[in-house]
Amino acid sequence: MSTSRATRKSTMPQWLKVALQIGLVGGVVVVIIALEGMIQAFNTRDIIGSVVAMSQALLLIVFLGTAYIAIIRSKLTDFRRLLVVAVVVGLVSSALLVALILLGQVLDLGNVFINATPALYDLLTFKLGLAAGSIVLLVVGGVSGAAAAIIHALPTRWRRSVIWGLVAVFAFGLLRDLIVTTFGGLTFLTGLLFLPNGLSVPGAITLFVIFVALDYFWSQRGAQIRSGIGARKPVRSSLLIGGIIVLLLLPQILGLYFSEVLDNVGLYLLMGLGLNIVVGFAGLLDLGYVAFFAIGAYTVGVLTSPDFGHASILTSWWFALPFGVIAAFLAGTILGIPVLKMRGDYLAIVTLGFGEIIRLLALSDFLKPFIGGAQGVNDILKPTIGPIQISNPPEFYYLILAGCLLVAFVAIRVKDSRLGRAWMAMREDEDVAQAMGINLVTTKLMAFALGASFGGLSGAIFGSKLTSIYPQSFNFFVSINVLSLIIIGGMGSIPGVVVGAIALVGLPEMLREFSDYRYLFYGLALVVMMLTRPEGLVPAATVKRELHEEEPQPETLGEAATAMPK
Amino acid sequence: MTALEVHNVHTYYGHIHALKGISITVDEGEIVTLIGGNGAGKSTTLKTISGLLRPREGYVKLYGEDLIDYAAHEIVSKGVVQVPEGRQVFARLTVHENLEMGAFSRPAGAGIRADIEKVFTLFPRLKERQKQVAGTLSGGEQQMLAMGRALMAKPKILLLDEPSMGLAPVLVDSIFDTIKQLHKEGTTILLVEQNARMALQVANRGYVIQTGEVILSDTADRLRENQTVQKAYLGVS
Ligand SMILES: Nc1ncnc2c1ncn2[C@@H]1O[C@H](COP(=O)(O)OP(=O)(O)O)[C@@H](O)[C@H]1O
Ligand SMILES: [Mg+2]
């Protein structure tokens, strides 16, 4: 690093400087977490019952993480030095938090930061009182740092296993409700592992040991096992059948609340698959995708609600559905025409405007007699299959699952089709694509229209699931959510959209405590992804290639010349 | 037999009158070169032929059929294939995928694999690198790929826009060798070049254009001897 600076002003060794800097960063992060109100919000849930609350786990993660970063940055090898660095980082981070608490005693910070209340200070000092609590907080910071140093000092394979063990304990504690509901039948097991409010202490220890052992074993033998699974056809197809059975049984296993979560994941997945065609396959940035979701929902809603006089004609949701999808398809085409010549940021702005226009039209008094204005559309018909009416979340789950499978099938087929190749060429370079004989006009319009129709399908199901729709359900954030899940999953990758929808829509809803901080976590997730894995969780082949081009290419002029025909 | 006929073409960029009545013919199996300085209108001529720009006056005919009514992508499937200026390849796709993309205007299946092999015999270097991402190829290799990709479209006439631009002299030589090879195999080529010396060595005939007009047209041999050409384009004083 900047050794010259260190030698010039050798008052402070470089490693100490790094420790102080990163410690300050960590301190700022924990102070922000506290002032954002996350400490109070997450205090109601425990990771390990009545030992480590979720809020405390969050602080621990920051302490451990920053100490670990400092260890790597300091580039030291001597363990005792490393230990000092890590402890300093932990102490500095926690000291900032202590400073916040002390400041809160003399000043009423609550005027500026609404979450800076005595309750917060109480929680941060473990309800031990100011002096004792502050000391304990500092000790926790220092010990966390030391723990990071110890983990770092472990042999590589053990280090990995221990980190996995910690992650597993955290994940199990976090997802307690889901796991207990899923494996409700196995009460003896869940009773052993869990308390009503998080993991039990023996449970946490057991899980930690199991996962360390599993990872240790997996890293030794995993490669063989994995290649075995990949190679053997019967294993793969039985995995597939098992997967389908699990998909079909999920609502039965998970019950009402989680079925609702799955429904939302599915609706976003439908939209994600549609927007992925526009953004991922064709490379057209669309920030107004919610418009098509709205058009699908409104078309089906208006056609089947008794308030608008069309309901007597279309007596079933199924009759209205094609109109919803076709309306979205046409809207996609109509949006496509004016933006045919636009690229990049101009396209983004126009599509964003389109999304807002559709929402404002839905809200307008002018169209109120036709689509309900601010009152929205009510009493939308629910789908029926024979005598059965689809009405509760588990029933909708099957409808949505069928929709997702159909749409995913279409998306996969179209990706490999002539149209899909035209999209790819257009995404890579419009001019060259045209020189290749690709009709840019129809290629673009088909991307907008097909993408839109998937959104329309999602909206049609959404409207009848809620039975009432209002303009404010179709705001800009829907578009942003869909775009984010594509980016997180991996642009242009169909499995990526699935993973993205689960990660971005499913996880936050399972962790109800997070709901207020949803966008904060979106932002964080996006930033972290862009820094560490910009191609997404399950990237498409071309994108992966582009971002991993650092492999050296042997290249000299002479070499190129000799290989040419003479 | 006349493969391509460009007749009295006027093309504008808004108010800029870029082509002022250009007329060119290319016979089947011929290499015809279009030479001229920077901004003379060479690329504009090629873009007008391939339908990327519309002339306000005049016509372009391929084997007697007027191309004016066709869109750019239709003109490609009629067999007029352009290799654009500046070696534009699909940077994120592999060499092989680029070549496949070149066959886009053809019906799927029809001998595409065999044609890729043909391109590989013409450019062995590409075969070695077929799995490589095109963006990581050297400049010369990208030019080869752009040409190979155009050949995949089975052109009736190949339009090359400054294939030697920005390449090291050794590479320029081999690109022109390839052009000669294509000529030997019977490909009809309209070659745009600023490198007049090389272009006139491989071409049968040539046109010199200046500020949107043809100022000279003759056989390549006679153009090489022409004093104006020698002064302006061949650097002979
Ligand atoms: N997109 C454009 N808009 C306006 N003028 C252009 C454009 N492209 C080219 N021109 C002008 O048209 C003339 C011919 O350009 P071009 O055909 O590219 O020349 P060449 O290929 O012979 O170097 C030049 O004067 C150039 O400035
Ligand atoms: Mg040019």
Side-chain angles (χ1 to χ4, degrees), chain A residues 418 428 439 545-546 564, chain B residues 73 92 104 122 144 174:
Chain A
R418 207 178 142 72
E428 301 299 321
N439 183 347
R545 269 188 231 138
E546 178 197 32
M564 300 272 300
Chain B
H73 67 274
R92 295 199 300 179
F104 190 87
L122 202 56
M144 294 176 213
S174 37

Side-chain angles (χ1 to χ4, degrees), chain A residues 9-34:
Chain A
K9 273 190 174 184
S10 58
T11 45
M12 195 192 278
Q14 183 66 21
W15 56 268
L16 188 57
K17 222 190 240 166
V18 169
L20 287 178
Q21 274 171 359
I22 294 180
L24 280 175
V25 172
V28 170
V29 171
V30 287
V31 166
I32 289 173
I33 287 176

Side-chain angles (χ1 to χ4, degrees), chain A residues 390-461:
Chain A
I390 296 176
S391 51
N392 63 21
E395 288 159 2
F396 265 102
Y397 170 84
Y398 292 106
L399 179 68
I400 293 169
L401 179 65
C404 287
L405 290 177
L406 175 76
V407 162
F409 177 75
V410 173
I412 290 168
R413 290 308 296 264
V414 85
K415 185 181 187 180
D416 292 330
S417 72
R418 207 178 142 72
L419 182 59
R421 297 203 306 133
W423 283 333
M424 174 156 83
M426 188 173 76
R427 179 189 68 205
E428 301 299 321
D429 192 320
E430 283 194 10
D431 297 328
V432 186
Q434 201 172 19
M436 237 69 311
I438 288 165
N439 183 347
L440 289 183
V441 175
T442 52
T443 305
K444 258 191 202 181
L445 290 185
M446 274 311 287
F448 277 117
L450 195 63
S453 60
F454 292 178
L457 174 65
S458 182
I461 301 175

